[in-house]
Amino acid sequence: MSEDYRKMWEGLGLDLAAHDALLSVLGQGYQQLFLSQKNRPAGMGYFDFVMSEVHGLRVKELLDAKAAGRKVIGAFCLFVPEEIVLAADGVMVGLCTGADFATEKAEELLPRNTCALIKSMFGFKLGRVCPYMESCDMIVGENTCDGKKKAYESFGALVDNLYVMDMPQMKSPQGRDLLKSEYYRFLKAVEELTGVTIDAARLKKGIAVVNNKRKAVQRLAKLRAADPAPISGLDALLVNQIFFYDDPVRFTASVNALCDELEQRITKNEGVFAAGTPRILMAGCPMAVPNWKVPAIVEGSGAVIVGEESCIGERGTRTLVKDSAPDLYGLMDAITDRYFTIDCAIFTPNPSRTEHIHEMKSACKADGVIHYGLPFCQPYQMEAIPIEKKLTANGIPVMRLETDYSSEDAGQLKTRVEAFVELLK
Ligand code: SF4
Ligand code: SF4
């Protein structure tokens, strides 16, 4: 990374020594897991470039946008509507929480038995290693699971720009009303932050940009149904991860270019793995950058991942916002309707998630499902048991995995995954 970036990081208040250590681990991991893959599509070159500049060029772009008067809004969850942020000329970034960092410091503020995702959110802040977090004019928390909603009470003291959104727990008319009123409150907060009044035309533009981004990843998801698989699960996961912080228009064009290439591969019957390789659908907790452990183990065990029922995957992208309403109220209704379809495990009951896993299993022609849960994540772990029962009753092989961001259990996980893959052959 260039000297200019070091000045930029210093200006953001990062701990340069700790940040160097983080980038070095990230770089090595990336080299080992991604760049060593065989027969990758050329279109992945763009995403490799994005990763190589993950704390460089993209952060510079954010700072340039800020210098031009735009505001940067960070989010931890799918329920924060990017459409509203874009409508006010803001930039939204996902704040990745996929690695252990400054865990001891985080555990001074959080119980040890907190999920790795929440601990990572604190660790990145306390360790001063995330240029995205430090660039935000507003950080949006959401009252989803109990862990997150209580964590934001303490997190609010670490940052001076936390905005907390309330969330329904049931998919009832009252739940929808709550979500809608929270989205109006968020719209007002974004207007106040940016000084921009959002009207229907602006919101329509925001909706179009995000819908196009979702359409591109939907196209990618469909192409993965081919056998042989034209792209590895690791690479597809990376695209889904970059979805959260790249410039949305550039990202959309790059995913569509990748899809053009994958279509040609499919026509020529070319793939990254041999035809007939056991096919896995991953389901469960989100896998934020750089949480690549389980996918790397699965694909290193002779299987290919063909879909992600995850927030870093189809849970966040399979539905679009209807853009036909003529006024702001109608469009806000459409935004509420779209986000209300997200089947996060915080909802009770949550039957649409099991249905979605069934649908995805057929659509991507998976042979089996691996349900991934982070330790201490009650919503997903509790839901995993009935999901496993229902899928098994329908003759679908399922394995439940529980693991955090450390690599200590990699050997044990590999043994279990290999046994599962054998079963699918
Ligand atoms: S799992 Fe639920 S709470 Fe977590 S990011 Fe996804 S939607 Fe948000
Ligand atoms: S839903 Fe689970 S993984 Fe997500 S923040 Fe809550 S406990 Fe952690």
Side-chain angles (χ1 to χ4, degrees), residues 115 117-118 145 148 285 374 376-380:
C115 88
L117 211 138
I118 297 174
C145 69
K148 269 195 173 181
C285 282
L374 282 165
F376 311 118
C377 168
Q378 289 171 351
Y380 282 92

Side-chain angles (χ1 to χ4, degrees), residues 27-165:
Q28 282 166 22
Y30 196 76
Q31 173 77 38
Q32 225 173 30
L33 302 179
F34 287 87
L35 301 182
S36 64
Q37 296 175 98
K38 301 260 175 322
N39 203 17
R40 294 176 83 209
M44 284 308 295
Y46 171 76
F47 301 95
D48 291 338
F49 171 71
V50 172
M51 276 310 290
S52 71
E53 285 285 336
V54 66
H55 282 191
L57 188 60
R58 183 62 183 141
V59 176
K60 186 175 177 310
E61 285 178 353
L62 295 186
L63 297 183
D64 289 347
K66 278 161 77 87
R70 297 174 70 194
K71 300 291 180 191
V72 175
I73 297 183
F76 294 107
C77 172
L78 282 189
F79 278 99
V80 183
E82 187 176 5
E83 294 86 346
I84 293 176
V85 175
L86 294 180
D89 270 340
V91 184
M92 195 162 110
V93 284
L95 298 173
C96 59
T97 49
D100 288 332
F101 211 85
T103 308
E104 280 171 20
K105 282 190 188 163
E107 285 177 356
E108 285 171 18
L109 298 174
L110 296 165
R112 295 196 83 191
N113 57 352
T114 301
C115 88
L117 211 138
I118 297 174
K119 268 194 208 169
S120 173
M121 161 172 113
F122 277 67
F124 274 41
K125 178 68 205 170
L126 293 165
R128 292 188 290 123
V129 291
C130 179
Y132 292 93
M133 219 180 254
E134 304 307 330
S135 303
C136 287
D137 296 293
M138 179 199 263
I139 293 179
V140 186
E142 21 41 65
N143 290 340
T144 45
C145 69
D146 283 356
K148 269 195 173 181
K149 74 182 176 216
K150 296 309 285 183
Y152 290 129
E153 291 175 12
S154 305
F155 194 73
L158 303 180
V159 295
D160 53 13
N161 49 6
L162 182 70
Y163 173 93
V164 178
M165 188 182 272

